[in-house]
Amino acid sequence: MNENCTDTPASTTTSRLLRRSLPGWLLALTLTTFAFSTDDYLVAGVLPGLADDLHVAESTAGQLVTVFSLVFALAAPVAAVVTADWPRRPLFTAALAVFTAANLVMPFVTAFPLLMALRVLAALAAAVVVPGALGAAAVLAPPERQGRYLSIVLGGLTTALLLGVPLGTWVGAVAGWQGAFVLGGLLGAAALIALYVTLPEPPRGERLRLADRLAPLTRPGLLVGLTATAFAVLGNLALLTYLAVYLRDLAGIGPTGLGVVFVLAGVAGLVGGQLGGPAADRWGAERALLMGCVAFAVVMLGLAACWPLRPAPLVLVMPLLLLWSAAAWWIPPAASARLLRLAGPAGQQALALNSSAVYLGVAGGGAAGGLLLGTLGSGALPLGAAVAQGVALALFALTSRWAPGGRGSRR
């Protein structure tokens, strides 16, 4: 925008509109996280057909998700350290090219080991790009909008549950499981083009030595914050992984009703995610985290209170489910903004570690929820989720002692 233009009311209004508009590179980064997240969740929608076609048990086919998560969790911090000084745009486009190719060759896959190898390749590409996309958004954002920009990029993950996964499941039903992965490849190609055209090279900042890049691993506050993130995700996934079983037992909701629940919960999660970032900007990340974690725990206790009423009426259960989804997705933007503040110059490495913590929480949530389901029944899932969120809240509060500016400071 021309800084020398006449300062008339019309020009002032135009400049405000321009400042409020979202840059193309931000939308491209959001498309990127949407593509990776959709691809990650595709397996769930095509699992039976995939297992049957490749002659493996469904439980074996399900390990594609486990392997993807573990490879991402282990590779993300390593990739962040190795590529810290590499230019972002060529790095992202190269990784997206690998990701796209790993999906587009799926129609030629006839053996499960080859499919597993391709999923490892896709996970490695995701480990390079997803934390880097968050880092680029944080660096390129105006300081007063950092939380908002992070929430928009993270919104790609939520939108994948709302749009990408149902679309992939439909494509899988029409064109087979290979077609669903081809859809993931096409989304990757679209993200590649969008990033190549729109993404400016983020400012490098100070050049860090290898020891400085590894510094986050030695900071107690950062490690506690990462552990808090893992517990927050664990609590959410402990119920989400087994939501079909829980809602069947609580309210008699079948597959058709479950699809409606997922769509509505996805909308609520998208809204919660888009509110969590601006809340961190306005009130500070610590206060926003407190609000999100408390709301999550209260909703879980509300769901637990519905258990003696089963079959509980949907009009009672549905509002709680929507509030749960909104609270769960409110937390990540605030947690990311908080983590950046704790990390200082090593923010890129911290975001990579945060992504690892998220994926470890996903794996832990599935395991913890399965343990509760097998020993105490589905009615125990909300209570377990509330306990995990309480642990997360306590750990988030503990990070205040290491935060610059002390308790209650902004971001």
Side-chain angles (χ1 to χ4, degrees), residues 120-172:
V120 169
L121 201 59
L124 290 173
V128 170
V129 177
V130 173
L134 293 171
V139 171
L140 292 171
E144 71 279 4
R145 293 189 176 188
Q146 190 181 69
R148 183 189 178 200
Y149 278 32
L150 283 170
S151 69
I152 290 171
V153 177
L154 286 166
L157 308 179
T158 321
T159 309
L161 289 172
L162 177 62
L163 298 177
V165 175
L167 178 60
T169 302
W170 178 80
V171 170

Side-chain angles (χ1 to χ4, degrees), residues 50-204:
L50 185 156
D52 184 64
D53 194 31
L54 297 181
H55 309 293
V56 296
E58 291 183 356
S59 58
T60 301
Q63 299 313 304
L64 292 167
V65 178
T66 303
V67 168
F68 189 102
S69 298
L70 289 178
V71 169
F72 186 106
L74 295 173
V78 176
V81 170
V82 172
T83 66
D85 294 329
W86 296 14
R88 298 292 96 178
R89 189 168 70 167
L91 174 65
F92 292 171
T93 53
L96 277 164
V98 171
F99 169 81
T100 299
N103 280 281
L104 292 182
V105 300
M106 286 296 181
F108 306 102
V109 173
T110 58
F112 185 75
L114 177 57
L115 175 58
M116 182 69 79
L118 289 171
R119 297 309 293 156
V120 169
L121 201 59
L124 290 173
V128 170
V129 177
V130 173
L134 293 171
V139 171
L140 292 171
E144 71 279 4
R145 293 189 176 188
Q146 190 181 69
R148 183 189 178 200
Y149 278 32
L150 283 170
S151 69
I152 290 171
V153 177
L154 286 166
L157 308 179
T158 321
T159 309
L161 289 172
L162 177 62
L163 298 177
V165 175
L167 178 60
T169 302
W170 178 80
V171 170
V174 173
W177 62 269
Q178 299 96 330
F181 284 108
V182 168
L183 171 66
L186 293 176
L187 289 173
L192 187 159
I193 295 170
L195 282 182
Y196 186 81
V197 170
T198 64
L199 184 68
E201 186 60 32
R204 294 290 184 91

Side-chain angles (χ1 to χ4, degrees), residues 355-378:
S355 296
S356 296
V358 167
Y359 274 83
L360 289 174
V362 170
L371 181 62
L372 286 173
L373 183 65
T375 56
L376 300 177
S378 60

Side-chain angles (χ1 to χ4, degrees), residues 225-269:
L226 291 168
T227 305
T229 295
F231 270 98
V233 175
L234 185 152
N236 187 34
L237 267 293
L239 179 58
L240 182 60
T241 304
Y242 304 98
L243 186 61
V245 178
Y246 176 73
L247 290 180
R248 181 199 65 200
D249 296 344
L250 174 66
I253 297 177
T256 301
L258 186 64
V260 175
V261 168
F262 270 116
V263 170
L264 294 177
V267 172

Side-chain angles (χ1 to χ4, degrees), residues 300-381:
M300 289 299 106
L301 294 177
L303 287 173
C306 291
W307 190 251
L309 305 176
R310 63 190 186 278
L314 191 59
V315 69
L316 176 62
V317 175
M318 197 65 216
L320 291 172
L321 294 175
L322 298 182
L323 288 173
W324 162 41
S325 184
W329 286 97
W330 169 291
I331 294 171
S336 297
R338 180 69 167 165
L339 199 68
L340 283 170
R341 193 161 188 272
L342 289 168
Q348 180 70 34
Q349 288 73 41
L351 285 173
L353 290 169
N354 190 56
S355 296
S356 296
V358 167
Y359 274 83
L360 289 174
V362 170
L371 181 62
L372 286 173
L373 183 65
T375 56
L376 300 177
S378 60
L381 292 173

